Amino acid sequence: MSLEKFVENALSSWMSAEGPEIDIVLSSRIRLARNFKDFTFPTSFSNEEAKKIIELVKKRIEEEVTPEIGKLELLEIDQLQPLEKRVLVEKHLISPHLVEDSAKSACLLSENEEISIMINEEDHLRIQCLMSGLQLKETLKIANVLDDWIEESIDYAYDEERGYLTSCPTNVGTGLRASVMMHLPGLVLTQQMNNIIPAINQLGLVVRGIYGEGSQALGNIFQISNQITLGKSERDIVEDLTSVVQQIIAQERSARDALARTSHIQLEDRIFRSYGILSNARIIETKEAATCISDVRLGIDLGYIKNISKSILNELMILTQSGFLQKYAGGPLRPHERDIRRAALIRERLNFTEHSSS
Amino acid sequence: MICQECHQRPATLHFTKIINGIKTEVMICEKCAQEKGEMFMDAGGPGFSINNLLAGLLNMESNIQQTKANAFPKTEERRCPHCHRSYKEFVHIGKFGCAECYKTFNEQLNPILKRVHSGNTAHIGKIPKRIGGTIYLRKQILDLKEVLKVHIDQEEFEKAAEVRDKVRSLEKRYEAQEGGEEL
């Protein structure tokens, strides 16, 4: 497959699209956890119950949701090839957990991949909406449309006092997890992240690496999300998170300004060295690639690098993961082979954008 | 530092356990930690998993209760009538088996929810439109009754009368819906 074609197929619309505060906020995500009334939760249900739930959803999606959302496609996880599953995980459309018990699970995807509904993950439904930039309110609106549409014909497990009942008590109430993915090289370089993380935690928010719980903050990308789902309304959760994110954006911008002012030459050197590595390396590991990609993206944002599009960070972040590399290579690769392929793909991609934008 | 469990591998994890106010320091290697289940390790990689951590919190809860002169001696054995999950199993996994579990273990739930949700135990967010119809109405009625009280206290009788009429009409709708009639 040609690189151009591969990239075109590999990216979801939110990755290349523009959005508010796109220089710092890569994406906004809303997740609603919902369960069906009178069914056991996926942590202990039988195969028959799992099948029944998938059937119920299948019946519901035969109709179009609303014209804006369009049709959703149902994917039964056990029908997918291992590499396809991996790619869906790498694109953040499904969780690694959904793949574990694939005989019982399925997912619904919208055409532009902004919407994915996981069926029988930890809860019967995990309605997820993803948009580029800082657009939590808009994302919540779409999630609510989907939620209301499903509820029109299927009864949810809901309790007047506790709200939407979920398998884990950490999600009960609104079942809402709102999260924002941020690129914060300025705050990392000026060593302010260590002060900011505890402050954010005190506000009932959590900071994680890009792949959720337990993952490292690869390439200066952090995911910030709400921890509390009970005793706060959906609107308040989203507003609180948005306002904290806006403050972090302001701090990141001033850190970038300060860096450009006080250590301009060092910064420029670092950015162009990383650019040099990416455009010339023959072997590159995930971690080094992530660091260099982050530097290049900062270079683009600061105007040092002019001939590459901003979406490069999103693209390379996805394309350099092992599932994608193997998909592009057309078969399984050993770790060392992946490092070689990764370097080749990045070189190709950088040359490709340079040529296409000149 | 050598792992205090296997006495072979280097201890890479150092953590402090506090149970019933008694502090214990543990130096252990990753392998022993996983085998013993002492550390709340995420199988997928390094770091803490929220759910495992939660299981830890819940365990703490049952430890405290046990020391309270066996105030709830049967809690551990109680089982949910729908999914048959016991409280002990819930504490171990950190997850409920079904919606009914919330009722079965309601007594134990408030302290757990308070700990996880910054002191909150009650939902104030979205109400599902269809099945939540009467809940929504009841909530509106209760809220308006509060407003009514304030108006009466402040001797604003005209405003109070307006609110009272609204309450009455909502109550009628509520009764109609509860009786299964369409509005």
Side-chain angles (χ1 to χ4, degrees):
Chain A
M1 204 193 307
S2 80
L3 181 75
E4 199 176 346
K5 187 112 186 110
F6 176 72
V7 169
E8 210 175 278
N9 295 341
L11 301 174
S12 313
S13 74
W14 68 267
M15 289 176 213
S16 39
E18 294 286 304
E21 321 286 4
I22 197 76
D23 55 330
I24 294 168
V25 180
L26 304 182
S27 64
S28 302
R29 174 192 298 265
I30 291 287
R31 180 271 272 158
L32 298 174
R34 297 289 185 257
N35 286 286
F36 295 166
K37 204 182 161 198
D38 302 327
F39 283 94
T40 314
F41 291 159
T43 48
S44 54
F45 66 3
S46 63
N47 275 345
E48 291 73 53
E49 277 189 294
K51 292 255 146 56
K52 259 191 212 163
I53 286 157
I54 297 177
E55 282 308 311
L56 269 173
V57 180
K58 228 180 193 171
K59 233 174 104 187
R60 186 73 186 114
I61 61 146
E62 276 162 11
E63 305 143 54
E64 197 176 69
V65 190
T66 65
E68 307 102 90
I69 290 166
K71 252 197 154 350
L72 298 171
E73 194 192 339
L74 185 103
L75 297 176
E76 294 195 46
I77 304 298
D78 62 346
Q79 308 283 319
L80 301 175
Q81 298 297 316
L83 214 54
E84 291 176 313
K85 292 181 200 171
R86 199 166 178 162
V87 163
L88 287 177
V89 173
E90 289 177 2
K91 282 173 113 174
H92 299 265
L93 294 170
I94 61 173
S95 69
H97 183 67
L98 190 79
V99 176
E100 278 166 28
D101 207 351
S102 55
K104 290 181 175 177
S105 59
C107 90
L108 295 172
L109 282 185
S110 70
E111 219 163 79
N112 61 7
E113 299 184 353
E114 273 183 4
I115 296 162
S116 75
I117 303 179
M118 288 193 266
I119 308 171
N120 297 337
E121 207 242 22
E122 190 183 290
D123 294 295
H124 295 143
L125 294 184
R126 289 266 170 118
I127 303 169
Q128 301 199 109
C129 297
L130 188 61
M131 286 172 121
S132 62
L134 181 59
Q135 306 193 63
L136 281 173
K137 278 183 201 160
E138 293 76 3
T139 316
L140 176 65
K141 212 167 142 191
I142 294 185
N144 271 328
V145 169
L146 283 162
D147 184 39
D148 294 343
W149 171 74
I150 294 166
E151 201 256 335
E152 267 173 34
S153 67
I154 302 170
D155 284 354
Y156 281 146
Y158 182 86
D159 177 80
E160 191 174 345
E161 193 192 353
R162 310 288 191 198
Y164 292 94
L165 303 178
T166 51
S167 167
C168 184
T170 51
N171 294 315
V172 75
T174 56
L176 169 70
R177 190 81 62 219
S179 54
V180 168
M181 203 125 80
M182 303 184 84
H183 183 222
L184 304 173
L187 293 175
V188 173
L189 281 172
T190 54
Q191 295 179 335
Q192 292 181 68
M193 239 13 238
N194 292 340
N195 301 330
I196 291 173
I197 293 173
I200 294 174
N201 290 342
Q202 282 188 339
L203 297 167
L205 303 174
V206 201
V207 186
R208 299 194 181 104
I210 46 171
Y211 290 100
E213 255 167 56
S215 69
Q216 286 174 299
L218 264 189
N220 302 323
I221 294 171
F222 297 86
Q223 182 188 305
I224 301 169
S225 52
N226 66 306
Q227 174 83 310
I228 298 160
T229 57
L230 191 67
K232 249 180 157 187
S233 72
E234 287 80 357
R235 223 180 90 181
D236 287 347
I237 291 172
V238 162
E239 275 175 7
D240 290 355
L241 180 59
T242 306
S243 79
V244 168
V245 166
Q246 272 160 347
Q247 287 178 42
I248 300 172
I249 293 172
Q251 292 197 41
E252 169 67 21
R253 290 222 170 101
S254 67
R256 287 181 186 187
D257 284 350
L259 280 170
R261 224 177 28 246
T262 60
S263 354
H264 167 75
I265 191 69
Q266 286 91 336
L267 191 64
E268 199 179 14
D269 178 65
R270 184 191 164 115
I271 288 165
F272 279 98
R273 273 172 190 273
S274 288
Y275 187 33
I277 291 173
L278 290 179
S279 36
N280 292 294
R282 264 45 183 179
I283 302 170
I284 194 162
E285 285 181 21
T286 318
K287 207 174 161 189
E288 189 182 14
T291 312
C292 292
I293 292 167
S294 168
D295 287 343
V296 167
R297 166 73 189 241
L298 179 64
I300 297 168
D301 288 340
L302 292 174
Y304 295 166
I305 298 174
K306 292 201 167 68
N307 50 356
I308 299 176
S309 97
K310 265 187 190 178
S311 60
I312 200 85
L313 176 74
N314 284 337
E315 293 178 15
L316 290 181
M317 226 169 63
I318 300 286
L319 299 175
T320 54
Q321 290 179 76
S322 58
F324 268 100
L325 290 171
Q326 295 178 77
K327 199 179 161 208
Y328 186 46
L333 296 171
R334 281 181 304 214
H336 182 64
E337 291 172 328
R338 277 181 224 158
D339 295 343
I340 296 170
R341 279 278 174 170
R342 183 175 296 115
L345 191 137
I346 293 171
R347 281 199 324 268
E348 236 180 297
R349 185 76 191 117
L350 289 179
N351 284 333
F352 170 64
T353 31
E354 271 179 23
H355 293 311
S356 58
S357 60
S358 57
Chain B
M1 184 71 66
I2 296 291
C3 168
Q4 65 184 60
E5 277 302 315
C6 62
H7 303 289
Q8 284 171 359
R9 290 177 287 269
T12 50
L13 300 167
H14 174 199
F15 64 100
T16 310
K17 268 198 307 192
I18 303 173
I19 296 172
N20 297 335
I22 301 162
K23 197 166 147 187
T24 341
E25 303 270 335
V26 184
M27 314 274 201
I28 198 167
C29 72
E30 211 163 293
K31 196 156 184 277
C32 289
Q34 272 177 341
E35 279 167 10
K36 287 206 66 169
E38 287 265 16
M39 249 323 257
F40 313 121
M41 291 292 290
D42 189 351
F48 288 98
S49 139
I50 273 285
N51 292 327
N52 293 340
L53 203 60
L54 179 74
L57 288 174
L58 301 175
N59 256 321
M60 217 158 78
E61 188 61 34
S62 68
N63 284 335
I64 294 164
Q65 284 187 354
Q66 274 171 1
T67 57
K68 269 191 200 164
N70 289 332
F72 300 105
K74 296 277 181 207
T75 305
E76 293 278 294
E77 295 134 46
R78 192 180 296 162
R79 277 186 185 276
C80 171
H82 180 253
C83 69
H84 309 292
R85 181 161 291 182
S86 69
Y87 188 73
K88 209 172 173 178
E89 283 163 353
F90 161 60
V91 163
H92 182 68
I93 315 169
K95 281 171 196 146
F96 284 129
C98 68
E100 191 65 27
C101 289
Y102 278 90
K103 280 192 191 133
T104 314
F105 308 120
N106 189 40
E107 255 172 60
Q108 283 75 40
L109 213 49
N110 278 351
I112 296 165
L113 293 177
K114 269 187 191 162
R115 193 171 284 146
V116 180
H117 297 286
S118 294
N120 299 316
T121 58
H123 175 60
I124 57 162
K126 189 171 177 178
I127 298 170
K129 275 187 187 150
R130 196 173 45 82
I131 60 160
T134 55
I135 299 174
Y136 183 70
L137 274 179
R138 194 154 72 222
K139 220 170 179 167
Q140 262 187 311
I141 295 167
L142 289 175
D143 288 350
L144 279 175
K145 279 187 174 167
E146 287 292 315
V147 176
L148 184 63
K149 230 168 120 186
V150 173
H151 285 319
I152 293 172
D153 286 348
Q154 292 175 353
E155 301 186 0
E156 297 165 335
F157 297 113
E158 255 177 58
K159 282 183 186 165
E162 258 175 52
V163 176
R164 184 202 57 209
D165 292 344
K166 258 192 207 160
V167 170
R168 278 188 189 157
S169 93
L170 286 177
E171 276 175 339
K172 261 189 201 155
R173 266 172 65 186
Y174 178 71
E175 278 159 26
Q177 282 200 0
E178 281 287 88
E181 287 171 33
E182 284 290 318
L183 277 172

